[in-house]
Amino acid sequence: MLTEKAYAKINYCLNVSKKRPDGYHDLITVMQTVSLCDVVTLTPRGDGCLCLETDMGGEPEKNLALRAARAYFANTETCGYIIALEKHIPVAAGLGGGSADAAAVLRALNRKEKRYTAAELSALALSLGADVPFCLSGGACLCRGVGEVMTPLENRAAPVFVVAAAGEGVSTPAAFAALDAARAKTQKILPEFTPSGLISALEQGNTADLSQNLFNDFESVILPVRPAARALKETLIEAGALTALMSGSGPAMFGVFSDAAVAEKTAKIITSRGQFAAVAVPVGPF
Ligand code: C5P
């Protein structure tokens, strides 16, 4: 049996650039894997079939974890596995849960089966989704292109996060479309973006500076229509976060804390309201 943790990601910054001819957008983002995770278990089965066990619902064939296993064996002899997913990462929240599950399946399978080089595995990951190559290696990374052009970063900062989510999930394509529509209205020329302040805060291990340099382009189109996410942001800041930001295309929020006890207390306030909250710290690279 193979067991692998599938770590959620947050975006310290997320700059969406122009739409490309293939429908994707060029991004400049700094992503970080955090200790909030799903657990993926692969149990060999003798009949050569791949199947999924999870209580998360949805069509199994659309599930990225099963699709990752199918892609892994696509051009080679298939070994059978039951893929069990223990979900903890909120779904469609901007935390990369599906991508993390897919990456964990690829990592676990390649550790056992050793069929691909690191570069081949990364290409396979990209065929499953723009965030999957990052989720394979994790840590703190500057990601460009659609997210696949990665520069690993040194992270000496030790922030404590409270990751929180409330309200319905957000469709990622819809969030990109909303941003395109808002920009088409204003016709603003997008300035060149370089996250140099953020990168040096990470390298210098300065959590206060890190919190000053966070931003997410999606907040401008998602927060106005998601009062629950706005309220979470306020709660995190009122409870003592240095700052709070939406992750990915939302609606999950993360608060940045320098004090673990305050983070724990804040997470309890949010969970006592029946909403999702978890204390998490940076993890990776793997
Ligand atoms: O690659 P993934 O399946 O995660 O992307 C989901 C959708 O998000 C894409 O179909 C695309 O509409 C949008 N997307 C984008 N630019 C990116 C990443 C995702 O437009 N860099």
Side-chain angles (χ1 to χ4, degrees):
M1 193 169 85
L2 314 171
T3 301
E4 187 76 17
K5 287 186 173 165
Y7 294 101
K9 62 85 184 161
I10 56 167
N11 301 76
Y12 287 129
C13 72
L14 177 48
N15 172 264
V16 180
S17 184
K18 64 178 190 313
K19 191 170 178 180
R20 313 177 345 163
D22 65 3
Y24 275 76
H25 294 71
D26 279 324
L27 306 175
I28 298 175
T29 179
V30 176
M31 294 203 262
Q32 169 75 63
T33 38
V34 298
S35 52
L36 169 65
C37 65
D38 294 339
V39 182
V40 177
T41 308
L42 294 121
T43 309
R45 51 185 275 169
D47 61 3
C49 289
L50 292 166
C51 67
L52 185 72
E53 258 178 20
T54 172
D55 52 12
M56 71 182 287
E59 283 175 52
E61 291 304 324
K62 288 195 176 157
N63 187 289
L64 265 186
L66 182 60
R67 284 177 49 206
R70 294 217 187 286
Y72 187 87
F73 292 113
N75 299 313
T76 54
E77 190 198 341
T78 303
C79 295
Y81 282 99
I82 300 164
I83 300 154
L85 280 187
E86 187 188 302
K87 289 296 292 179
H88 300 284
I89 306 171
V91 175
L95 297 169
S99 301
D101 295 345
V105 167
L106 295 182
R107 268 200 312 270
L109 285 176
N110 213 39
R111 195 172 305 130
K112 168 94 188 313
E113 310 279 345
K114 298 185 174 60
R115 298 195 188 184
Y116 299 101
T117 63
E120 287 167 344
L121 201 65
S122 188
L124 199 57
L126 181 59
S127 74
L128 294 161
D131 288 346
V132 187
F134 165 72
C135 291
L136 257 189
S137 45
C141 228
L142 170 65
C143 303
R144 295 168 180 267
V146 299
E148 86 289 14
V149 183
M150 297 183 289
T151 309
L153 301 173
E154 189 85 49
N155 179 7
R156 295 198 182 88
V160 181
F161 304 115
V162 173
V163 180
E168 266 175 48
V170 166
S171 142
T172 304
F176 276 100
L179 199 54
D180 287 340
R183 285 173 171 176
K185 264 192 213 151
T186 59
Q187 304 220 318
K188 246 185 18 203
I189 309 273
L190 297 173
E192 260 305 288
F193 169 74
T194 324
S196 43
L198 171 59
I199 291 171
S200 56
L202 287 171
E203 283 171 352
Q204 287 162 18
N206 189 328
T207 301
D209 272 3
L210 173 70
S211 70
Q212 299 277 308
N213 279 281
L214 305 189
F215 87 94
N216 182 340
D217 272 345
F218 283 113
E219 283 201 338
S220 64
V221 287
I222 301 298
L223 292 190
V225 293
R226 292 304 180 110
R230 274 198 322 266
L232 270 182
K233 186 168 175 131
E234 274 166 30
T235 301
L236 288 163
I237 291 170
E238 277 165 16
L242 299 171
T243 192
L245 189 80
M246 200 172 78
S247 182
S249 52
M253 287 283 165
F254 65 96
V256 181
F257 293 80
S258 48
D259 183 324
V262 180
E264 289 286 352
K265 209 169 139 196
T266 306
K268 282 202 185 108
I269 293 171
I270 296 170
T271 52
S272 71
R273 295 176 185 164
Q275 295 172 330
F276 174 86
V279 174
V281 291
V283 294
F286 315 121

